[in-house]
Amino acid sequence: MSFDNTPFQPRLGVSRRQVLKGMGAASSLPLIGGFAPAFASNSDGRVVVIGGGFGGATAAKYLKRANPNLAVTLVEPARTFYTCPFSNLYLGGLREMSKIAHGYDELRDRYGVEVVHTLAQDLDPDSHTVSLANGDTLHYDKLVLSPGIDIRWNALEGYDEAAAELVPHAWKAGPQTELLRRQLEGMEDGGTFVLVAPENPFRCPPGPYERASMVAHYLSQHKPSSKVLILDAKDNFSKQGLFTSGWEQLYGDSIEWVGLSGDGRVTRVDAENREVETEFGTVHRADVLNVVPPQKAGWIAERAGVTDDSGWVPVKPETFESQQVADIYVVGDATVAAPMPKSGFCANAQAKVAAAAIVASLRGDSAPDPYWSNTCYSLIGPEYGISVAGVYRIQDGVIAEVEGSGGLSPSDASPEIRQMEAEYAVGWYNAICQDTWGTDA
Amino acid sequence: MNLRLPRAATAALGACLLLGAAQQVLADDAYDLQREVMAGGCANCHGTDGARTGNVPPLAGRDADYLEERLLAFKRDEVADTTIMNRIAKGFSDDELTSLAEHFANVEQE
Ligand SMILES: Cc1cc2nc3c(=O)[nH]c(=O)nc-3n(C[C@H](O)[C@H](O)[C@H](O)COP(=O)(O)OP(=O)(O)OC[C@H]3O[C@@H](n4cnc5c(N)ncnc54)[C@H](O)[C@@H]3O)c2cc1C
C-alpha cells in the first residue's frame, strides 16, 4: 500500500500528533536492525541537540513535530532534570523536590527522539561531528546547543568548586538546592541568611529576589527572629519596586537589601567561615550563605567556538544560528539575546524559533519570521505573585521588545490580583513543563 | 497541531502507518511553520497546542470568533482584572491576533 494515492495526505493537514501516536509501536521498527536514528539514511536530515533543559528538550520536540522524518538525537547526561524554576518554592517549603523533576519518556516514546544519556565532550564543526563521553561519535547536519550556564569559578575570589560544597550557589537545581535547604533547616532561630547577588547578565534576573522571598517565608514559619540580607553587585534589579513593597507587606523589615552604592558588592568569599567581604572592606558573617556567582555559557559552547570574549554566545536573531559557526544553533541562557532575559520561558521560545528555522533550512526554505515572548512570575509569598512580561520581534536587525507590550504587574494591584498571579505562576509552571518534557509535576 | 480530520480517516491512516509507509505520509506541509512560530509562546502557559486544561484556560478547539474577540479586548484593556494577557496581546497586530484565533480554533482537543 502506498500513501502516494491515499486521498487524505499530505495536504489535508494530517494531525501530526495523531500520526505519531498511530506510529507508537511502529516508530521503533527502524531501530530493530540496530540503526541509531541519528544515522538513519532515509531521513530528511540529522539534528543533534545538546542539553535536555528548557531549550534543548523543547527544540527536540518541536523539530519532530514540524518534521517527524528528521533524525533527532538529544544528548543529556541526566535521566531526571530538576528545574530551577520553582526550586525556590522547594526552599520555601512549598513544593517537594519530586515536583520539580522531569524525564525524557515523552520525547522518546511519543515524538521519536533518540535520547542519549551522556555528556557531549567535544565538537568538530568542520566534520560536523560531536564526540560523546560514552565513546560514540554523532554526525549532524544541524546542531542545537542549549547547555545553560556554567559558573565562573574564582571570578569571585574564594568561590571555587570546593567552596560551593560548603556555601551552595543552588543556581543549577539538584543536589545544590538540597544542600541549601538542609543548611536552612539546620540554622538557629535568630540567624542571618546572606544572599550574594551578581552583576548582569546572569540566569534569571528576578531569581535571587524570589529566593530571598521564599527563604523569608520559610523563616517566618519556622525561625521568625531570623533575617535575610541581600548583598548586591547592582544598584537596581528586576521587579525591584514590586519586590520591595511585597517584602514590606509580608515580612516587615526581615529582608534587607544592600545595593552597589551602599557597599553591597561582594569581592571575596570565605566559605569555611561563612564570611564575605565587600568592595570597601565590610565583612558580613552569615549563618547560611548563598552565593549566586558570576556565570558564562555552558563550557561546551566554548569548545564549539561559538562564544565571544564575554563568555556568552552571539547569535543571528532571525534563527539563533551562531554568528561564528555555521549549522550550530544556540538557544537559552548561553546566548546573548537581550532584551530577552535568561529565563526558561525564553529558552523554550527561542528553541521553537530555532527548530522552525532548521526545519525550513533543511527543506531549502527560508526561516519563518520569529516571534518570542516571555513571562517571568515570581512568588513573594504563597499567595502573592508578581510578573514581568515581554513580546519580542526583530527591529532593524536586532531583537527588540514590541513597543507598548509587556511590562510589570501593576504596583497598586489588589490582593486578589496578587493571589491570581500566584495561582497563574503554578499554571505556567505546569504548562511549560508539559510543553517542554511532556511531564506534569 | 491537530487539524480536524474525520475520525475514520485518522484511523485508516494509523492502520496504513502500521503497514510501514510512515516515511512518505509524514512529509506533509500542512504544519504551518509560520503560524506555529507565531503561536509558540502561547504554549508556555496554555500547554502544547493550547490544549492544556487547568487554571489557565485552554485555547484548543474554541470558537475562532470568541478567541479573536477576547484577544482584541485584552489588547484594548477592556477585560477587567486581567493579569498578563493585556500585556501580551499588545505585542501582536490585530491581524496577527485574528490569525492566532484561527490557529487555535483549528486545533482538535484531545
Ligand atoms: C532559582 C532560579 C529560579 C528560576 N525561575 C525561573 C522562572 O520562574 N521562570 C523562568 O522562565 N525561568 C526561571 N529560571 C531560569 C531558567 O532556569 C533558565 O533560564 C533555563 O533553565 C535555561 O534553559 P537552558 O536550556 O538554557 O539551560 P538548562 O535548562 O540549564 O539546560 C541545560 C542542560 O544542558 C545540559 N548540558 C550542559 N552541558 C552539556 C554537555 N556538554 N553535554 C550534554 N548536556 C549538557 C545540562 O545537563 C542541562 O540539563 C530560574 C533560574 C533559577 C536559578
Side-chain angles (χ1 to χ4, degrees):
Chain A
M1 170 168 192
S2 160
F3 267 87
D4 294 340
N5 44 26
T6 50
F8 43 81
Q9 68 80 35
R11 294 218 163 260
L12 270 180
V14 173
S15 147
R16 190 118 357 195
R17 273 198 302 181
Q18 224 71 49
V19 168
L20 286 163
K21 260 188 260 164
M23 282 173 73
S27 65
S28 59
L29 284 179
L31 305 186
I32 287 170
F35 297 103
F39 297 93
S41 54
N42 57 347
S43 75
D44 286 353
R46 297 165 194 160
V47 185
V48 174
V49 180
I50 297 179
F54 279 91
T58 304
K61 168 169 166 176
Y62 276 77
L63 282 161
K64 282 299 235 179
R65 270 169 57 91
N67 185 354
N69 281 342
L70 291 176
V72 177
T73 304
L74 175 68
V75 183
E76 162 62 53
R79 284 174 193 275
T80 301
F81 181 88
Y82 292 96
T83 60
C84 286
F86 277 29
S87 65
N88 288 332
L89 279 69
Y90 162 75
L91 293 172
L94 301 181
R95 207 167 244 254
E96 299 287 316
M97 214 50 197
S98 64
K99 297 285 185 196
I100 58 169
H102 303 276
Y104 297 93
D105 290 353
E106 188 192 67
L107 287 177
R108 189 186 296 111
D109 300 342
R110 181 165 178 183
Y111 291 99
V113 173
E114 190 196 10
V115 184
V116 185
H117 290 296
T118 189
L119 207 60
Q121 256 175 345
D122 216 343
L123 264 165
D124 180 5
D126 292 332
S127 62
H128 279 53
T129 54
V130 181
S131 42
L132 306 181
N134 69 6
D136 287 348
T137 300
L138 298 177
H139 179 264
Y140 64 84
D141 297 314
K142 302 280 187 184
L143 182 79
V144 179
L145 268 184
S146 191
I149 56 149
D150 266 323
I151 311 295
R152 286 178 189 273
W153 300 115
N154 289 312
L156 180 55
E157 190 190 327
Y159 201 68
D160 57 14
E161 279 171 281
E165 295 305 317
L166 300 170
V167 167
H169 53 80
W171 223 240
K172 294 183 180 188
Q176 278 276 308
T177 324
E178 289 172 312
L179 175 61
L180 185 58
R181 169 79 194 179
R182 281 198 303 276
Q183 293 187 354
L184 264 178
E185 284 169 352
M187 187 174 115
E188 301 281 332
D189 190 11
T192 303
F193 175 92
V194 176
L195 190 154
V196 176
E199 282 167 52
N200 294 321
F202 63 100
R203 157 175 284 182
C204 194
Y209 315 97
E210 181 187 63
R211 173 161 299 167
S213 311
M214 286 291 99
V215 167
H217 170 72
Y218 166 79
L219 296 174
S220 72
Q221 307 280 299
H222 301 281
K223 289 149 193 174
S225 313
S226 310
K227 297 253 180 241
V228 174
L229 172 65
I230 306 168
L231 297 172
D232 210 325
K234 305 177 287 303
D235 261 335
N236 37 59
F237 60 87
S238 172
K239 302 183 247 186
Q240 186 164 1
L242 292 169
F243 272 113
T244 312
S245 90
W247 289 341
E248 265 167 39
Q249 282 174 56
L250 299 187
Y251 308 115
D253 58 4
S254 10
I255 301 182
E256 184 189 354
W257 175 78
V258 181
L260 175 68
S261 358
D263 194 23
R265 190 166 82 89
V266 168
T267 50
R268 191 177 61 83
V269 176
D270 176 351
E272 300 266 345
N273 295 311
R274 288 197 305 274
E275 281 176 0
V276 294
E277 185 179 333
T278 60
E279 200 173 0
F280 296 104
T282 316
V283 174
H284 298 269
R285 237 212 111 252
D287 294 288
V288 175
L289 180 59
N290 179 199
V291 174
V292 181
Q295 300 155 27
K296 60 178 182 177
W299 58 269
I300 191 77
E302 205 177 320
R303 286 287 177 91
V306 293
T307 51
D308 67 13
D309 290 344
S310 72
W312 304 102
V313 179
V315 290
K316 299 176 186 169
E318 297 79 10
T319 56
F320 273 65
E321 187 178 7
S322 158
Q323 286 183 6
Q324 296 169 191
V325 183
D327 296 327
I328 301 186
Y329 295 68
V330 189
V331 298
D333 288 356
T335 61
V336 181
M340 272 187 267
K342 297 189 187 301
S343 71
F345 196 123
C346 283
N348 170 298
Q350 293 159 5
K352 288 169 182 166
V353 166
I358 288 171
V359 167
S361 166
L362 289 172
R363 276 189 198 144
D365 294 340
S366 54
D369 291 338
Y371 287 75
W372 306 273
S373 49
N374 180 56
T375 302
C376 281
Y377 286 102
S378 301
L379 282 189
I380 299 182
E383 293 173 354
Y384 195 117
I386 56 172
S387 62
V388 58
V391 180
Y392 310 90
R393 302 292 310 271
I394 291 180
Q395 274 160 30
D396 302 325
V398 296
I399 301 168
E401 192 161 357
V402 177
E403 215 184 309
S405 76
L408 299 165
S409 309
S411 56
D412 58 353
S414 64
E416 290 72 33
I417 292 280
R418 300 284 189 234
Q419 178 160 3
M420 274 165 76
E421 291 227 272
E423 286 165 15
Y424 285 148
V426 178
W428 163 79
Y429 180 80
N430 291 332
I432 194 170
C433 291
Q434 179 270 322
D435 188 48
T436 305
W437 296 277
T439 37
D440 274 3
Chain B
M1 183 171 91
N2 269 346
L3 294 177
R4 288 171 194 283
L5 196 71
R7 289 275 171 211
T10 321
L13 183 64
C16 293
L17 280 169
L18 291 171
L19 291 172
Q23 297 301 330
Q24 295 100 306
V25 77
L26 293 172
D28 72 271
D29 51 9
Y31 189 87
D32 182 338
L33 271 185
Q34 181 61 74
R35 262 200 192 177
E36 284 287 329
V37 167
M38 196 198 294
C42 307
N44 297 23
C45 294
H46 296 274
T48 304
D49 291 317
R52 212 191 140 76
T53 53
N55 65 348
V56 181
L59 309 172
R62 299 182 87 155
D63 181 61
D65 291 337
Y66 169 77
L67 289 176
E68 182 186 16
E69 186 225 322
R70 290 288 289 179
L71 286 169
L72 291 171
F74 280 128
K75 182 175 175 180
R76 294 178 187 139
D77 279 319
E78 292 164 2
V79 184
D81 290 338
T82 305
T83 54
I84 67 153
M85 273 312 297
N86 51 349
R87 294 181 254 159
I88 299 288
K90 290 190 185 92
F92 296 85
S93 70
D94 289 5
D95 284 347
E96 287 170 336
L97 292 177
T98 305
S99 178
L100 286 171
E102 279 165 13
H103 171 78
F104 285 110
N106 283 317
V107 175
E108 190 182 281
Q109 250 184 307
E110 294 196 7

